[in-house]
Amino acid sequence: MANAPRNAWYPLTWSRDVGRTLARHKVLGIDLVVYRTERGEPVALDDVCPHRLAPLSCGKLKGDAVECGYHGLTFGPDGACVRIPGQTTVPTSARVRSYPLREQMGLVWIWPGDAALADTAPVYDLPQYHSPLWHAVEGEALHIGTSYLNLADNLCDPAHVSFVHLSTLGNAASEDIPVQHEVVGKGVVVWRWIRDAPPIPLFAKYGNFSGHVDRWHYYHYDAPCIAVIDFGSAEAAAALDPAERDRGLRIFACHFITPVDAHHCIDHWLHVRNFALSDADVDQRLHEDFRTAFNEDKEILEEIDRVERTRPETRRIGLAIDAAPKKMRRIVERMIDAERSPLAAE
């Protein structure tokens, strides 16, 4: 994939879905076979035997090694061939690439680029995910038929909520509230406050508010694949300062994006909240609410992808709300340029 940097941590799949069976995955157009060793460590190898190019995922897991299902060549977790049936010598060329992996926030993350750079690059972490004052609930892996950058556009864009998510995350009170943004490091933060307005359907359901609320959206995008939305509500009479958001009902909706190929991505989503910490019923109801909302995004994004394919000549117009998504894409472009040529990136 030409529109995604390689030197970054990408979500591969949920940790809960990696076990002692061979599974196929694709990230940045790279076919992978994924499994766990007997000690529980995740492994990702190129899904191709270098002999006749049979997919290793069609083979068998033997101990910690993968046996090709065509001629029995066997590869260890580091990608080196450890056995060739019928001959005692193993050429050094008999190996496949093994990718650096980490586990964080319930996900296995993969580094598709220069492996030497992976050890010094931290994997994204949300402090509230680990706090006893918050409650984290894993979501799903939503497959969306569009470029990961189109999904990233959506996740840098509070304005769409007022029109796409009227049954869950938005209402008309926010339609004309402008958004603000700033570039922070290799990311963008986009935000707005809606003061003294009716609560959105989701918080009306869980907040038991007596009247109007103040509510906020902070969209934190960290290039190239992480978007965390901090949103919540509090009684308008409380007149919360932005630094006091923990006094209201507050949720972090986390979106960890896997670019599969040019027209397919996966949104691994979860939420972290500061209310109803031990209520399994709220877990399930919120899960259904978020599933509804994110499938609304899926529907519109797949339609956009269809139009992009069928009408590539159509020009787009720019609006004020596009400033943050444009800067997000420039950040990604600079990351790609830096990999191709450090001088060009500067």
Side-chain angles (χ1 to χ4, degrees):
M1 284 180 59
N3 66 345
R6 294 292 178 111
N7 290 324
W9 288 108
Y10 288 93
L12 173 60
T13 188
W14 292 107
S15 290
R16 67 192 186 218
D17 293 334
V18 179
R20 292 288 297 157
T21 56
L22 300 178
R24 291 178 176 178
H25 290 272
K26 180 179 284 190
V27 179
L28 274 64
I30 305 166
D31 291 310
L32 303 164
V33 58
V34 179
Y35 64 96
R36 284 192 189 275
T37 66
E38 292 177 336
R39 295 179 58 184
E41 298 169 345
V43 176
L45 304 175
D46 268 337
D47 191 18
V48 58
C49 177
H51 174 224
R52 295 284 179 84
L53 307 187
L56 292 176
S57 56
C58 295
K60 298 177 182 177
L61 183 58
K62 291 196 168 182
D64 288 345
V66 181
E67 180 186 85
C68 178
Y70 198 13
H71 294 97
L73 278 73
T74 306
F75 301 87
D78 64 351
C81 184
V82 296
R83 177 174 181 258
I84 299 179
Q87 69 181 63
T88 57
T89 59
V90 177
T92 57
S93 58
R95 64 178 304 115
V96 295
R97 184 175 177 185
S98 176
Y99 293 84
L101 301 179
R102 299 286 185 274
E103 294 194 77
Q104 185 79 281
M105 292 184 65
L107 289 158
V108 176
W109 299 75
I110 186 168
W111 184 275
D114 184 348
L117 301 177
D119 286 339
T120 60
V123 183
Y124 177 84
D125 193 24
L126 179 72
Q128 288 85 351
Y129 179 88
H130 309 281
S131 170
L133 302 178
W134 293 75
H135 181 58
V137 181
E138 291 184 0
E140 301 178 0
L142 179 63
H143 290 251
I144 305 177
T146 194
S147 162
Y148 84 102
L149 288 173
N150 283 344
L151 177 55
D153 285 342
N154 174 277
L155 295 170
C156 290
D157 174 24
H160 83 278
V161 174
S162 305
F163 303 94
V164 177
H165 301 305
L166 292 178
S167 67
T168 50
L169 303 177
N171 60 29
S174 57
E175 287 184 4
D176 292 318
I177 305 297
V179 298
Q180 304 178 67
H181 77 278
E182 65 176 332
V183 175
V184 179
K186 63 182 185 70
V188 178
V189 181
V190 193
W191 73 93
R192 68 177 173 182
W193 279 75
I194 299 91
R195 299 283 188 178
D196 194 18
I200 61 173
L202 187 143
F203 283 126
K205 184 186 300 185
Y206 301 105
N208 297 316
F209 294 111
S210 58
H212 281 192
V213 299
D214 290 344
R215 59 185 177 92
W216 65 86
H217 293 89
Y218 288 82
Y219 284 51
H220 298 263
Y221 170 80
D222 191 34
C225 64
I226 295 160
V228 176
I229 302 169
D230 168 1
F231 70 107
S233 296
E235 295 280 3
L240 286 191
D241 183 91
E244 299 177 307
R245 298 196 296 279
D246 278 351
R247 290 176 52 197
L249 268 68
R250 190 178 184 188
I251 297 176
F252 290 93
C254 303
H255 299 264
F256 302 121
I257 308 169
T258 303
V260 177
D261 56 35
H263 295 280
H264 179 198
C265 64
I266 305 172
D267 181 7
H268 296 89
W269 58 265
L270 61 90
H271 85 268
V272 186
R273 67 177 189 265
N274 70 349
F275 60 93
L277 302 187
S278 302
D279 193 327
D281 180 60
V282 172
D283 288 354
Q284 184 58 39
R285 290 162 61 201
L286 268 171
H287 186 100
E288 294 300 327
D289 289 333
F290 284 130
R291 174 187 286 161
T292 296
F294 302 151
N295 272 289
E296 290 168 342
D297 289 321
K298 170 184 168 73
E299 182 177 350
I300 191 69
L301 289 171
E302 290 185 341
E303 284 300 303
I304 289 170
D305 185 83
R306 179 186 63 79
V307 174
E308 286 178 334
R309 294 196 201 208
T310 59
R311 302 184 62 176
E313 76 289 348
T314 303
R315 294 186 62 186
R316 306 181 190 219
I317 63 170
L319 304 177
I321 59 173
D322 300 327
K326 285 181 179 178
K327 289 181 180 177
M328 172 275 294
R329 289 192 177 230
R330 290 193 195 107
I331 291 169
V332 172
E333 289 168 2
R334 286 196 294 269
M335 294 175 71
I336 296 169
D337 288 343
E339 292 177 0
R340 294 173 177 166
S341 169
L343 291 178
E346 293 181 8

